[in-house]
Amino acid sequence: MTDKPSLIDSILASEAFQDKIATDMNDAFLRRLNRPGADGRAYRSFILDWLYLERPLIDRFRGARYQVQFEGPAITIDGQDYPLGAYIYRKLEWAHIDPVRAHDLYEKLRAAVDAAVEEWRGQTPLKFLPAHPERPFADRADADAQAAQAIHAFASPARKPGDNDDA
């Protein structure tokens, strides 16, 4: 699976662009990492691996029993990214895999994600919008409360089998 990056993706990934936004990006990361409460815990938990892995992560896939983390920086050849290796986590054990096997697993997981989304989309109407930075919620607290309410209603023990609450 080789997807040629779009012009915008190429600009965003360019060394010049990355160098120009580094300070602003660092400041934004620090503000989010220092947030109190659940937001701060979620941000810190998501990047916790940065503290103990030598190489930066380029991708992560989490299943119910396994977690796979791909190491970078990726080597790009003809528009295709090749991870430098990967770790497979199971319970409290890690297995490190070499770059060739990591690339094979990377492609299989990417294909599985695409297949799962395509299958799920067949049952779920979606409206795709142009991807550009904007605030997705007029009121974040209200949006969070509505999402929590939908989750509680869906996961409630009183929920009948076969109910489908797509909120």
Side-chain angles (χ1 to χ4, degrees):
M1 290 175 30
T2 303
D3 293 329
K4 185 173 173 100
S6 70
L7 176 60
I8 291 175
D9 289 338
S10 297
I11 292 169
L12 294 177
S14 73
E15 195 171 324
F17 182 81
Q18 290 294 319
D19 288 347
K20 286 180 181 174
I21 66 166
T23 300
D24 291 335
M25 221 170 152
N26 291 341
D27 292 345
F29 283 147
L30 288 175
R31 278 193 306 276
R32 289 177 179 201
L33 291 173
N34 286 317
R35 283 186 181 170
D39 272 11
R41 283 191 304 276
Y43 282 121
R44 290 185 296 274
S45 174
F46 192 77
I47 67 165
L48 189 60
D49 301 334
W50 292 8
L51 299 175
Y52 59 85
L53 293 176
E54 182 68 25
R55 292 175 172 158
L57 298 181
I58 58 168
D59 225 332
R60 172 189 292 151
F61 295 82
R62 289 186 176 180
R65 293 183 308 171
Y66 296 99
Q67 180 182 145
V68 184
Q69 299 178 341
F70 293 92
E71 301 175 289
I75 295 177
T76 304
I77 300 172
D78 294 332
Q80 177 132 5
D81 287 342
Y82 293 84
L84 298 180
Y87 285 94
I88 299 175
Y89 175 76
R90 177 190 69 184
K91 298 184 181 179
L92 295 176
E93 301 173 314
W94 288 99
H96 187 256
I97 58 177
D98 66 69
V100 174
R101 292 173 62 208
H103 173 70
D104 181 52
L105 181 57
Y106 188 58
E107 291 302 308
K108 287 179 193 240
L109 289 170
R110 291 178 68 208
V113 168
D114 288 346
V117 171
E118 288 296 329
E119 178 186 341
W120 178 83
R121 270 189 62 206
Q123 306 160 4
T124 306
L126 295 177
K127 180 180 180 182
F128 285 90
L129 302 171
H132 52 80
E134 68 178 37
R135 296 184 68 88
F137 312 108
D139 181 344
R140 161 82 194 275
D142 184 53
D144 287 0
Q146 287 179 26
Q149 184 179 14
I151 291 166
H152 284 288
F154 174 78
S156 167
R159 188 174 158 262
K160 297 179 192 97
D163 284 355
N164 188 6
D165 301 336
D166 288 335

